[in-house]
Amino acid sequence: DQDGTQGKSEEHRTFYTLEEISQMLRVSSRTVRRFISTGKLKAIRIGYKSLRIEKSQYETFLDQFYN
């Protein structure tokens, strides 16, 4: 292809911070950390301290626990 992707479709992935998730769920960041530590919400670690939650993981969490 002219853009150099050679036919591969690039998927744009959206990530949320712990604080963004806590605001969207209207719970404390401590509660979000608990969801992560118990395996209810999957997150990835960026560096030593930062966590990010992929949009698809957040949506899966909502489907499983808030519906």
Side-chain angles (χ1 to χ4, degrees), residues 10-26:
E10 291 287 323
E11 180 184 332
H12 179 72
R13 295 165 52 183
T14 301
F15 292 89
Y16 297 119
T17 65
L18 195 102
E19 292 74 24
E20 289 172 324
I21 295 291
S22 68
Q23 289 172 1
M24 289 187 288
L25 294 176
R26 295 190 171 140

Side-chain angles (χ1 to χ4, degrees), residues 25 40-41 55-67:
L25 294 176
K40 290 181 179 179
L41 180 61
K55 182 179 180 182
S56 63
Q57 294 297 326
Y58 172 68
E59 291 168 346
T60 299
F61 172 81
L62 289 178
D63 287 344
Q64 290 178 349
F65 298 102
Y66 277 84
N67 283 334

Side-chain angles (χ1 to χ4, degrees), residues 39-57:
K40 290 181 179 179
L41 180 61
K42 293 182 181 173
I44 59 169
R45 186 166 298 282
I46 307 292
Y48 179 69
K49 290 186 176 182
S50 298
L51 291 171
R52 295 290 183 272
I53 298 94
E54 191 169 359
K55 182 179 180 182
S56 63
Q57 294 297 326

